[in-house]
Amino acid sequence: MRITEIMAAQARYARCIDTDALEAWPDFFTEDCLYRITTAENHRLGYAAGIIWADSRGMLEDRVAALREANIYERHSYRHVLGLPLLEEEGPEGVRSETPFLVARIMRDGATDLFATGRYLDLWRMDEAGAPKLAERLVVCDSSRTDTLLALPL
């Protein structure tokens, strides 16, 4: 797997969220994926629990359905700014990478704030068509404070 394939997948992932195409978001993951959001401190201490935790693409699809049909929250959007991925290792389970990110949150009234910074710790695998998919995405947020309005995926 080449770094340019991962960079392109990362760019499509961010655009998917930033353009509110959330129904396509689970397609970036393998069927038996792990998606978790946690803090840097909890990650450093080895705590498995996260702010958000899902261990299948079906759970991610349920999350999107809940956002669209059940959850009540102030509408907003994100703008992701991604750093270059660092490929850490390639083994039989896939390719591991680390990518820094910034996410700005834009509220309906136009107010924009820096919502989250951190890094993606990923495990990538190629699907049958040769496209990179996320087998794991651990979102490690730099801050130990989490806004209560963490509705959209990071």
Side-chain angles (χ1 to χ4, degrees), residues 13 17 25 29 34-43 47-55 60 63 67 78 80 101 103 115-121 136-147 149-154:
Y13 177 97
I17 296 170
W25 174 65
F29 294 85
L34 175 63
Y35 175 79
R36 189 164 58 103
I37 299 176
T38 190
T39 66
E41 181 178 6
N42 283 352
H43 179 66
Y47 297 152
I51 301 164
I52 294 176
W53 188 91
D55 67 352
L60 300 177
R63 179 162 182 80
L67 285 169
Y78 287 161
H80 284 73
F101 69 86
V103 176
F115 181 66
T117 66
R119 56 194 171 125
Y120 296 131
L121 302 178
E136 292 179 17
R137 169 150 281 185
L138 176 57
V139 182
V140 180
C141 296
D142 292 327
S143 176
S144 60
R145 296 179 58 188
T146 303
D147 192 300
L149 191 53
L150 180 56
L152 304 177
L154 289 175

Side-chain angles (χ1 to χ4, degrees), residues 38-117:
T38 190
T39 66
E41 181 178 6
N42 283 352
H43 179 66
R44 186 177 56 254
L45 295 172
Y47 297 152
I51 301 164
I52 294 176
W53 188 91
D55 67 352
S56 71
R57 189 164 54 201
M59 289 180 75
L60 300 177
E61 292 166 352
D62 287 347
R63 179 162 182 80
V64 171
L67 285 169
R68 296 293 195 213
E69 300 168 19
N71 296 351
I72 298 172
Y73 60 96
E74 185 176 357
R75 297 290 172 200
H76 60 280
S77 60
Y78 287 161
R79 176 67 59 206
H80 284 73
V81 179
L82 304 176
L84 293 174
L86 171 67
L87 300 187
E88 295 194 349
E89 63 185 80
E90 183 166 3
E93 63 178 355
V95 175
R96 292 205 175 269
S97 68
E98 177 177 334
T99 307
F101 69 86
L102 300 171
V103 176
R105 180 178 60 189
I106 303 95
M107 304 306 290
R108 289 178 105 179
D109 66 359
T112 303
D113 60 354
L114 181 59
F115 181 66
T117 66

